[in-house]
């Protein structure tokens, strides 16, 4: 079924193959724990199969369920946590870097009266299930914010925006997908460049946040970090909040 035809916004499954692998390997390990003899003799090594595969199964399946909980429930609370880093006036220009299917973009647009929200993405289906500009546009229509939003199909490392264009830049689980450090640095410096003096960037990720904080601090921004809820974000997500001096 095409997600574009759905009538409720669908913000998709982040990195769907990761979720699939938790359940595939968890189930496989569970089956091995149940069917293999209690001890396997592998040359000189005697492997206690039940506890070994039982633990692997338990870890994979628990992680899979926690990940599913984030995807289906936790991401909405985390969106509100990120957007809560700024006191909204309603006239802001907002940029969502790696907007995916529009989770933060639509959330930010709902806080605007005269402002505008822009989402930039390359629509990777590895990083987000059912990712496309059309799917995101459909979500924005369903959220009734399409007139306040623009979508831009481009990489975060080369943004087509003028210097000092945005009051608020947000991003969730995007920048770690830029696999090499120089490209990530370009994206981080692009965020600094497009942020207005006095503006704030709130960049959330599950890893590399130290690198983001360091790049922002080196660029002269005032940086702090805040953990999202450890109950409903999995993997645990840290938000780097960087304010550009006036
Ligand atoms: C895990 S998804 C998160 C989407 C959204 N921020 C959310 O929280 O629902 C990561 C997103 O980053 C996007 N992305 C990956 N590399 C990118 C790049 N170089 N520039 C812009 N977006 C990118 C992917 O296409 C995907 O939509």
């Amino acid at each position: 079924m095409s997600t574009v035809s759905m009538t409720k916004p669908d913000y998709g499954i982040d990195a769907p193959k990761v979720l699939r692998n938790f359940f595939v390997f968890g189930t496989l390990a569970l089956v091995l724990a149940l069917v293999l003899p209690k001890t396997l003799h592998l040359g000189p090594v005697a492997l206690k199969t039940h506890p070994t595969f039982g633990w692997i199964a338990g870890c994979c399946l628990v992680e899979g369920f926690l990940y599913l909980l984030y995807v289906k429930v936790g991401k909405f609370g985390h969106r509100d946590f990120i957007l809560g880093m700024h006191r909204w006036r309603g006239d802001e220009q907002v940029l969502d870097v790696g907007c995916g299917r529009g989770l933060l973009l639509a959330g930010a647009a709902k806080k605007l009266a005269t402002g505008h929200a822009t989402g930039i993405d390359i629509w990777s289906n590895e990083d987000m299930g059912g990712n496309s500009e059309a799917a995101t546009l459909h979500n924005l229509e369903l959220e009734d914010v399409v007139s306040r939003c623009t979508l831009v199909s481009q990489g975060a490392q080369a943004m087509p925006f003028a210097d000092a264009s945005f009051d608020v830049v947000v991003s969730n689980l995007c920048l770690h997908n830029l696999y090499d450090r120089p490209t990530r640095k370009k994206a981080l410096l692009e965020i600094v460049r497009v942020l207005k003096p006095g503006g704030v960037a709130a960049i959330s990720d599950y890893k590399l946040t130290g690198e983001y904080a360091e790049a922002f601090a080196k660029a002269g921004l005032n940086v702090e970090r805040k953990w999202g809820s450890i109950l409903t974000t999995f993997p645990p997500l840290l938000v780097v909040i960087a304010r550009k001096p006036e």
Side-chain angles (χ1 to χ4, degrees), residues 11 14-15 70 75 96-101 103-104 120-124 127-128 131 154-157 171-174 176-178:
Y11 291 109
D14 310 67
Y70 168 73
K75 63 161 66 170
D96 182 0
V97 178
C99 63
R101 298 177 57 163
L103 177 73
L104 272 77
I120 186 169
D121 206 296
I122 56 166
W123 321 114
S124 154
D127 304 336
M128 170 60 74
N131 211 2
Q154 201 152 323
Q157 60 274 29
S171 181
N172 185 39
L173 285 169
C174 169
H176 73 272
N177 294 306
L178 283 69

Side-chain angles (χ1 to χ4, degrees), residues 8 11 23 79 82 84 96 136-137 163 170 173 181 196 211 217 221 227 234-235:
K8 273 176 72 180
Y11 291 109
F23 286 109
R79 169 200 61 195
I82 296 171
D96 182 0
T136 307
L137 192 59
D163 297 357
V170 291
L173 285 169
R181 196 174 177 142
K196 290 182 187 175
E211 184 185 307
L221 277 61
W227 283 103
F234 186 84

Side-chain angles (χ1 to χ4, degrees), residues 20-31 53 56-57 60-61:
R20 181 204 64 189
N21 288 346
F22 279 134
F23 286 109
V24 167
F25 290 118
T27 308
L28 192 65
L30 189 62
V31 170
F53 288 109
I56 294 172
C60 287
L61 293 174

Side-chain angles (χ1 to χ4, degrees), residues 46 48 194 199:
K48 300 277 179 208
V194 301

